[in-house]
Amino acid sequence: MRDTRESRLLLVLLIAIAFALITVDIRGGEDSPVDGARSAAAAAFGPIESGVSSAVDPVGNAVAAIRDSGERHDRLARLEQENAALKAKLGSDDRSRSRLKQLDKMLKIAGEGQYGIKGAQVIAIGAAQGFSWTITIDAGANDGLERDMTVLNGDGLVGRVTTVGPNTATVLLASDPDFTVGTRMESSDELGFASGQGDRPLRVELLNGKAEVKKGDRLVTFGSQADKPFVPGVPVGVVSRVDPSGGNLTRTLYVTPYVAFSKLDIVGVVVQAPAKDPRDTVLPDKPKPKPRPTVTVTVTPGADAPGDGQNQPQPQADGLSEPRIEGQDEPGTDGQYQPPADGQNQYEQEQ
């Protein structure tokens, strides 16, 4: 419609009529004369509004869902970050407790052996197939380390320092085939030389081919001249197998090392040797043997004789121990009960 004088007058007239109808509707209340027209309009335009609303609502819901989804995603991402941080903290606490335990054991060995040590952490490990068994530690010349120093941890002998840099050093492990250390037996003081065999037990050649050795015997380092590369008294391992002597000049043993070379973390480099040989004082305490239960059966005087089938001591069902009669140590030669010589607790068999 073009903007003319007539169109403007028509617009003003329609506005005036609309205001008049609104005024009449408000004053009429429930009896408004335009109520019928309103109902007719609602009946005519209601389906159209409902259709438009059903078409528009999914769009609005989708927009709201997308907005809420973004908020939920942010909240989920935040919770995942907090969860990861908590797991990292818990893992760090476990790792810290493990390292503190290792450090405590190592300091105990250093105190018992009077070793002056420099603590270090393993930061790299060498190849185990085809090359040498080595580790790299985060301490070097700036920390007072030198070549051919003994390396230990809370369990025993780890190896010796072979290469030293300003802040790192390389350690040849006792499991390396090129590794050799002098050893001494715990009680007999028999001397020998232990060599690494990779992931197998250490091989020890005792100098005395007739030495009395048994499984479970323990060895420590014998020590080197001027305490390099080895200080004395460091635990090496436990004898796991003994080869027959066979009249040889030496005797071969196989020793399970105390140290788990695949789990090294905290180690100590001996920068000051002890004033005197600690001998066997650094070895861990031997495990106490488990007691075997025993059963004692006491026979009172005047009780029925064993031959009549009464008061017979019964053997244990589990076979752990044999019952015995108090006062008797050994059966007779024929395997039957023999009374004591003094006649106490004797039984008379009625003929």
Side-chain angles (χ1 to χ4, degrees):
M1 178 182 293
R2 291 185 299 173
D3 186 14
T4 61
R5 183 179 180 182
E6 289 79 5
S7 62
R8 287 196 296 270
L9 290 175
L10 179 60
L11 178 60
V12 172
L13 180 60
L14 291 175
I15 295 174
I17 293 172
F19 275 108
L21 292 174
I22 293 173
T23 302
V24 172
D25 185 39
I26 293 174
R27 289 183 178 180
E30 295 181 357
D31 298 330
S32 174
V34 297
D35 188 55
R38 184 188 298 112
S39 299
F45 295 103
I48 298 175
E49 292 178 350
S50 179
V52 173
S53 176
S54 62
V56 173
D57 283 348
V59 178
N61 293 337
V63 173
I66 292 174
R67 182 176 60 253
D68 294 342
S69 176
E71 294 177 357
R72 285 195 297 270
H73 181 272
D74 294 340
R75 186 164 58 253
L76 180 61
R78 186 168 58 254
L79 291 175
E80 288 179 347
Q81 291 177 355
E82 293 175 356
N83 190 26
L86 181 59
K87 287 182 178 180
K89 184 177 184 301
L90 291 175
S92 177
D93 290 343
D94 292 341
R95 186 71 177 273
S96 297
R97 283 193 291 269
S98 174
R99 288 180 173 177
L100 286 174
K101 185 178 180 180
Q102 295 178 51
L103 182 60
D104 183 66
K105 291 177 62 179
M106 185 173 68
L107 291 176
K108 182 180 179 181
I109 278 187
E112 291 175 347
Q114 297 299 304
Y115 306 124
I117 63 172
K118 173 65 180 178
Q121 181 180 346
V122 177
I123 57 176
I125 187 169
Q129 288 85 13
F131 301 97
S132 59
W133 292 62
T134 61
I135 57 173
T136 302
I137 58 177
D138 62 352
N142 294 338
D143 302 291
L145 270 60
E146 298 177 0
R147 179 183 171 89
D148 288 334
M149 283 184 168
T150 306
V151 182
L152 50 79
N153 68 357
D155 297 317
L157 179 66
V158 172
R160 62 181 177 86
V161 177
T162 56
T163 306
V164 180
N167 300 303
T168 61
T170 301
V171 177
L172 184 69
L173 300 180
S175 57
D176 188 90
D178 292 334
F179 185 94
T180 302
V181 58
T183 61
R184 181 176 56 79
M185 300 294 300
E186 176 184 5
S187 300
S188 63
D189 289 338
E190 294 287 351
L191 303 182
F193 293 94
S195 301
Q197 296 193 109
D199 55 0
R200 294 179 295 170
L202 304 176
R203 180 187 175 95
V204 179
E205 295 289 341
L206 291 183
L207 300 181
N208 181 6
K210 298 181 180 180
E212 295 293 333
V213 186
K214 63 182 183 300
K215 182 178 179 180
D217 288 346
R218 304 185 295 179
L219 296 87
V220 297
T221 56
F222 178 67
S224 307
Q225 186 177 5
D227 298 313
K228 285 190 177 182
F230 301 109
V231 294
V234 180
V236 175
V238 181
V239 176
S240 57
R241 182 162 64 92
V242 181
D243 281 354
S245 59
N248 297 328
L249 296 178
T250 62
R251 189 161 195 186
T252 303
L253 315 176
Y254 295 92
V255 174
T256 300
Y258 283 116
V259 173
F261 298 105
S262 61
K263 299 180 181 180
L264 293 173
D265 187 12
I266 302 298
V267 299
V269 181
V270 180
V271 295
Q272 182 177 359
K276 62 178 182 178
D277 188 347
R279 307 290 292 180
D280 305 330
T281 59
V282 186
L283 283 169
D285 296 333
K286 288 185 177 180
K288 296 181 179 179
K290 295 182 179 179
R292 285 188 67 183
T294 58
V295 177
T296 302
V297 178
T298 303
V299 180
T300 57
D304 294 333
D308 60 6
Q310 300 295 325
N311 296 331
Q312 291 276 0
Q314 299 296 324
Q316 297 296 314
D318 57 4
L320 293 178
S321 59
E322 293 292 337
R324 62 185 179 86
I325 299 177
E326 185 175 345
Q328 178 181 346
D329 295 331
E330 296 181 357
T333 56
D334 58 354
Q336 301 298 322
Y337 172 81
Q338 298 294 327
D342 58 1
Q344 184 180 1
N345 293 337
Q346 293 186 8
Y347 295 95
E348 296 182 359
Q349 182 69 35
E350 295 183 3
Q351 301 297 327

